[in-house]
Amino acid sequence: MKKTLLVICTVFLIIMLILFWNFRQVQAENRAIQKFNYEYEFYNREGICGIDITTVINKATDNNEKCEVKKDENGYYIPNDEDSINIDIKLINNDKTYRMEKIKEVGLEGFVEFFGEVEFKCTNIEYHEKTGKISKMTFESLQK
């Protein structure tokens, strides 16, 4: 009888430890996602300048390179359902939207020279359904 009770208690203890460990893993993953998203959500506001846009572009590019996000034949990152990030910039002076890859191709220095002091606002932010990480941000200039 004591032996059976000891086995049952041991199995119960092992199950509880496994559940606790899994719970802690999920918590750690959620904290990592929140921290990751905060680095981008910080720019989800009105009144950021063009220099800040270049920071977001560099962060997104670094993330895509680190996560080995594939590019298409035009050099644009192909969105995936886990960890890709795309940044679009809409300029109201010509009513065109440019992807971050195009701005990097032309040169961030030139972007800063012409739009460094221009104010932008984040008009759209999207998240990956699978991971909850940021997948896309759209910024719009506030002045011509």
Side-chain angles (χ1 to χ4, degrees):
M1 179 74 175
K2 286 184 178 181
K3 203 174 200 180
T4 306
L5 184 60
L6 184 63
V7 169
I8 290 173
C9 286
T10 303
V11 169
F12 179 73
L13 182 62
I14 291 171
I15 290 172
M16 292 303 292
L17 288 173
I18 290 171
L19 289 175
F20 178 74
W21 184 78
N22 285 337
F23 177 72
R24 298 287 290 168
Q25 288 295 104
V26 168
Q27 280 184 323
E29 288 174 19
N30 286 340
R31 279 192 302 274
I33 289 170
Q34 287 174 344
K35 182 182 177 200
F36 176 85
N37 285 346
Y38 178 76
E39 291 180 16
Y40 294 92
E41 289 170 344
F42 175 78
Y43 300 99
N44 185 12
R45 56 190 165 88
E46 190 173 310
I48 62 171
C49 63
I51 295 170
D52 293 328
I53 300 295
T54 61
T55 301
V56 175
I57 290 172
N58 282 328
K59 282 179 180 280
T61 301
D62 289 345
N63 175 76
N64 288 343
E65 292 298 319
K66 182 180 93 176
C67 296
E68 299 177 356
V69 177
K70 296 186 184 341
K71 291 184 177 183
D72 66 11
E73 64 277 353
N74 297 320
Y76 295 130
Y77 290 105
I78 301 169
N80 61 30
D81 60 348
E82 290 184 19
D83 49 22
S84 63
I85 300 177
N86 289 318
I87 308 294
D88 291 338
I89 294 90
K90 182 176 182 181
L91 302 175
I92 60 172
N93 62 344
N94 63 3
D95 201 36
K96 287 188 178 180
T97 301
Y98 299 94
R99 292 188 56 174
M100 67 179 185
E101 297 90 346
K102 193 64 164 174
I103 291 173
K104 278 198 74 120
E105 179 184 310
V106 172
L108 291 177
E109 297 82 14
F111 181 81
V112 169
E113 184 178 330
F114 290 107
F115 300 103
E117 298 301 318
V118 173
E119 286 191 1
F120 289 82
K121 70 176 178 177
C122 183
T123 57
N124 183 39
I125 189 165
E126 298 174 14
Y127 299 85
H128 291 289
E129 286 184 26
K130 186 174 182 180
T131 61
K133 290 182 175 181
I134 294 212
S135 65
K136 182 178 181 181
M137 294 180 81
T138 303
F139 294 93
E140 186 175 311
S141 61
L142 296 177
Q143 54 198 1
K144 293 185 179 187

